[in-house]
Amino acid sequence: MRHSPLSRFLLAVYVFLVVYATLYPLAGWRDPGGPALAFVTAPWPRYATAFDLGANFLGYLPYGLLCALAAHPRLRGAAAVLFAVISGAVLSLSLEAAQSFLPARIPSNLDVLANLGGAVAGALAGARFAPGLLEVGPLRRLRAEAFAPGAATDLGLTLLGLWLFAQLNPAALLFGAGDLRDLFAGPSGPGHAAEFFVSIEAAIASANLLAVALLTSAVTRPGAPVRRVLVALLAMALAVKTLAFAILMRAEQVFAWLTPGALLGLAAGAALALAALGLPRPARLVLAAVLLMAGTVLVNLAPPNPYLAAMLKVWEQGHFLNFNGLTRLVGALWPFAALGLLVYLAAARQANALR
């Protein structure tokens, strides 16, 4: 039994996300004026909320799970759990120590304990279910029957997972990705009439939906039910978008993302995707790359959303400030990572053709 490249890709990505979320907004670094690990022996924090403890516990639960899966089959059982817990402790202590240099963050020994609790719980689950997830079981069969073999496919599946994660940002347009204005503090475009915005939003949604569909088709196995895979992926993306509004917004705004432009883009993108799946694989790779670039340009030139502007003005991010910064980062970088994968797939196909 070989190791799972997918679990290792997911672990690497998750560590990056944890580092970014823990140190966000990564500004104002200064000398703490004392040992960075002084918090370890400090008294318990005077103010600790159940939300913060739960967030720290749940934040490291996937880490422990993925760590145990990534170590399989080299490490099993207690050895996998020990590896996950020790590495989780090192990661948590390192990041809490780094928070000592950030004026907006407060390192806490209680946070470390909550992190360790999550890592232990995740590692126990990972060690228990690793054989069923990686050797046999429905997920393993789905991976073998629907998707092409190889690490490139696992990287593609990781990117599709990140695309779903990016939909949790309520401020982003439907399927909009590659918006670099927040990262570089650039101004939004000038205001326009709502009718003009409908066409822009529809173009962004349809271009990105079609690009994701073509990318998915590029990592599926020949003869696999790619249309069913795409329908499932689209359903999950819309469910994630709705969940984001349900958690972060008020109940009456759960479907605020379903604007006229989003509806039009959904319909056009789905229809075009069904037609484009019949293209030869090289043409699908090129078209996906072009659409990703076009969608990124449109997102960065798009005017403010007149449908969400009023709602976002009263949006209080509160406890979700770090999380929303994380979803913005993933959404901003995603099309460039996907473009790199498309280039690699095209180059690999060309190299195989020359052999």
Side-chain angles (χ1 to χ4, degrees):
M1 171 66 189
R2 293 178 60 250
H3 69 271
S4 169
L6 177 59
S7 62
R8 295 190 175 185
F9 285 142
L10 291 174
L11 176 61
V13 168
Y14 196 78
V15 169
F16 170 78
L17 297 180
V18 167
V19 171
Y20 185 82
T22 304
L23 302 181
Y24 183 82
L26 287 86
W29 296 87
R30 47 86 169 121
D31 186 349
L37 292 174
F39 68 92
V40 175
T41 57
W44 293 117
R46 298 180 61 182
Y47 303 101
T49 65
F51 181 91
D52 290 334
L53 292 177
N56 280 286
F57 178 88
L58 294 176
Y60 273 70
L61 194 150
Y63 173 84
L65 174 67
L66 292 172
C67 213
L69 294 178
H72 188 84
R74 180 170 295 180
L75 298 177
R76 299 172 180 259
V81 173
L82 185 61
F83 168 70
V85 172
I86 292 177
S87 62
V90 171
L91 177 63
S92 179
L93 284 170
S94 300
L95 293 179
E96 290 293 322
Q99 284 186 345
S100 301
F101 297 86
L102 291 168
R105 308 309 301 270
I106 301 176
S108 167
N109 46 19
L110 193 57
D111 287 350
V112 173
L113 289 179
N115 294 157
L116 284 178
V120 170
L124 290 172
R128 169 66 178 83
F129 296 109
L133 291 173
L134 302 179
E135 297 177 8
V136 294
L139 291 179
R140 180 66 180 180
R141 288 196 299 271
L142 177 63
R143 169 66 179 83
E145 295 172 2
F147 297 98
T153 295
D154 289 328
L155 183 57
L157 293 175
T158 302
L159 287 176
L160 291 176
L162 286 172
W163 180 72
L164 290 174
F165 177 77
Q167 308 312 310
L168 287 169
N169 183 8
L173 299 176
L174 182 64
F175 304 147
D179 192 343
L180 302 176
R181 291 173 293 186
D182 283 340
L183 296 181
F184 295 102
S188 299
H192 291 277
E195 293 77 10
F196 175 79
F197 186 83
V198 168
S199 59
I200 296 294
E201 185 179 21
I204 291 172
S206 59
N208 283 281
L209 175 55
L210 180 52
V212 169
L214 294 173
L215 174 62
T216 305
S217 71
V219 296
T220 54
R221 184 183 294 275
V226 62
R227 287 176 173 80
R228 279 189 285 175
V229 173
L230 291 176
V231 168
L233 182 64
L234 178 58
M236 286 190 289
L238 298 180
V240 168
K241 195 71 173 178
T242 304
L243 178 65
F245 275 73
I247 294 176
L248 304 177
M249 301 293 184
R250 296 171 183 153
E252 64 271 16
Q253 297 169 335
V254 168
F255 293 103
W257 58 269
L258 200 57
T259 60
L263 280 171
L264 183 59
L266 269 175
L272 291 172
L274 291 177
L277 291 178
L279 295 172
R281 190 172 187 273
R284 281 182 277 134
L285 293 175
V286 172
L287 181 57
V290 171
L291 289 168
L292 282 174
M293 291 186 288
T296 300
V297 171
L298 286 175
V299 163
N300 284 278
L301 296 179
N305 188 336
Y307 299 97
L308 294 179
M311 180 186 66
L312 293 176
K313 282 181 181 178
V314 299
W315 176 34
E316 296 182 2
Q317 300 187 53
H319 291 296
F320 296 100
L321 177 64
N322 294 6
F323 181 79
N324 292 321
L326 189 59
T327 56
R328 284 199 301 271
L329 177 71
V330 172
L333 299 182
W334 189 86
F336 304 101
L339 186 62
L341 175 63
L342 290 169
V343 171
Y344 173 80
L345 292 174
R349 180 180 178 85
Q350 183 67 23
N352 291 333
L354 294 176
R355 289 177 183 174

